Structure formats: C-alpha cells, structure tokens
C-alpha cells in the first residue's frame, strides 16, 4: 500500500512586493498549519519522506508542519517539480517516487492539489483550502502504478 499526504501551503501574504516564489506566510497561515499538524500528529502515521515546492510559502509550511510532528529533516527534500499549479508535474512526481518509500508527505499549491485529490481520491473536494491536508491511499506497492485510490483523510483548518 502506498500513501501520499498532500498539504497545501498556509495562507500567504500579498503585502510585499516580491515574486510569487518569495511570497511569505501570513500569521494566520502559521497558526492554521500548526493546528492541522497537531491534529495530524495524533494519528501516529509513519512517514518515510517529505517533499516541498521551493516556493517560500510552501517551504515555510513544510518546516512548521514537520517540526510540529517531530519529523527528521534528513528525510526532507525540495523539488522544483512541486512548484506546479496544474497538477501534471505533481502527478508525475508521485508516479516517480522510489518504491522503498510507502508513505510520503508533499507540500505545494493549488490548483494542483485539488486536482490531484479529485483525480486520485474517491471523494470530491471543491477546494483544498490553505493549510489543508488530504491523505490518499493506493492499493499498490508501486508508485508508477498509482491510479485511483481512496481519500483516507481530510484535515481543513476551519473544521478543527
């Protein structure tokens, strides 16, 4: 069984005159990520690896989330493929994961994550909100064979 956990970056700020990649999180984004991470950590799910888009808001979200669940940063990597808004690069990334990893968490962006959640999960999600988490499970031991799975869990800040 393979599991991917998608975490959309926290609420970001448009207050600064910076590029899209450099936009920071707002205070609300930081609080929401902590709330979701705290709830998620109660599930005691073993994560083999974590990956993030290199965009500041996604990377900051990853750092907050992973620190909150005591995840070792030696198992964390950045990937330019995850700076994706359509979902095509994220899907390719998932299908290209190494099979020695059964459960991974990915930090990134919408519309990509809503698209992935709906195309690979079995539950329709209108929009994965900022700081939202969607866990997808697949009945395969081969990432390259991942197709439709089940939506095992959603954690959205407004529901917590």
């Amino acid at each position: 069984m393979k599991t991917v956990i998608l975490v959309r970056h926290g609420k970001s700020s448009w207050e600064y005159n910076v590029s899209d990649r450099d936009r920071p999180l707002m205070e609300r984004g930081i609080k929401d990520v902590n709330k979701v991470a705290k709830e998620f950590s109660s599930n005691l799910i073993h994560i083999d690896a974590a990956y993030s888009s290199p965009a500041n808001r996604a990377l900051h979200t990853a750092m907050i989330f992973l620190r909150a669940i005591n995840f070792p940063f030696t198992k964390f990597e950045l990937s330019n493929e995850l700076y994706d808004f359509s979902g095509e690069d994220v899907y390719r990334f998932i299908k290209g994961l190494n099979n020695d990893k059964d459960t991974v968490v990915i930090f990134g962006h919408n519309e990509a994550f809503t698209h992935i959640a709906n195309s690979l999960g079995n539950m329709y999600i209108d929009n994965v909100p900022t700081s939202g988490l969607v866990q997808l499970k697949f009945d395969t031991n081969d990432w390259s064979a991942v197709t439709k799975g089940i939506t095992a869990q959603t954690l959205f800040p407004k529901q917590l």
Side-chain angles (χ1 to χ4, degrees):
M1 173 142 319
K2 299 294 184 193
T3 302
V4 66
I5 300 153
L6 305 171
V7 180
R8 183 177 170 199
H9 66 76
K11 186 80 173 157
S12 60
S13 173
W14 294 86
E15 285 180 45
Y16 305 94
N17 186 21
V18 295
S19 72
D20 182 69
R21 278 185 179 244
D22 293 332
R23 260 189 306 121
L25 291 179
M26 293 177 68
E27 189 174 338
R28 179 183 132 204
I30 294 167
K31 286 179 183 170
D32 286 350
V33 172
N34 272 308
K35 198 186 318 182
V36 170
K38 183 179 177 200
E39 182 67 25
F40 177 79
S41 68
S42 67
N43 298 326
L44 298 173
I45 295 170
H46 174 78
I47 297 169
D48 297 305
Y51 304 93
S52 177
S53 157
N56 184 29
R57 60 197 182 278
L59 176 57
H60 193 186
T61 298
M63 294 296 102
I64 294 165
F65 188 96
L66 296 174
R67 198 168 29 243
I69 66 167
N70 294 314
F71 186 82
F73 288 103
T74 55
K75 296 181 179 184
F76 172 74
E77 291 178 39
L78 291 179
S79 172
N80 283 319
E81 275 184 281
L82 299 175
Y83 185 64
D84 171 34
F85 302 95
S86 70
E88 291 174 28
D89 289 345
V90 173
Y91 183 62
R92 223 178 352 265
F93 181 86
I94 290 168
K95 290 185 77 79
L97 284 165
N98 191 317
N99 285 325
D100 67 352
K101 294 166 181 58
D102 292 325
T103 301
V104 301
V105 61
I106 297 174
F107 298 88
H109 310 273
N110 247 4
E111 295 293 312
F113 279 12
T114 296
H115 175 71
I116 295 290
N118 287 325
S119 56
L120 296 182
N122 66 343
M123 180 177 111
Y124 177 75
I125 298 170
D126 185 49
N127 177 52
V128 175
T130 53
S131 303
L133 178 150
V134 177
Q135 181 182 5
L136 303 170
K137 290 188 176 202
F138 307 99
D139 192 16
T140 181
N141 288 316
D142 183 357
W143 285 110
S144 67
V146 160
T147 54
K148 199 75 163 170
I150 62 162
T151 307
Q153 177 182 42
T154 61
L155 292 174
F156 299 160
K158 286 188 173 161
Q159 299 169 339
L160 302 177

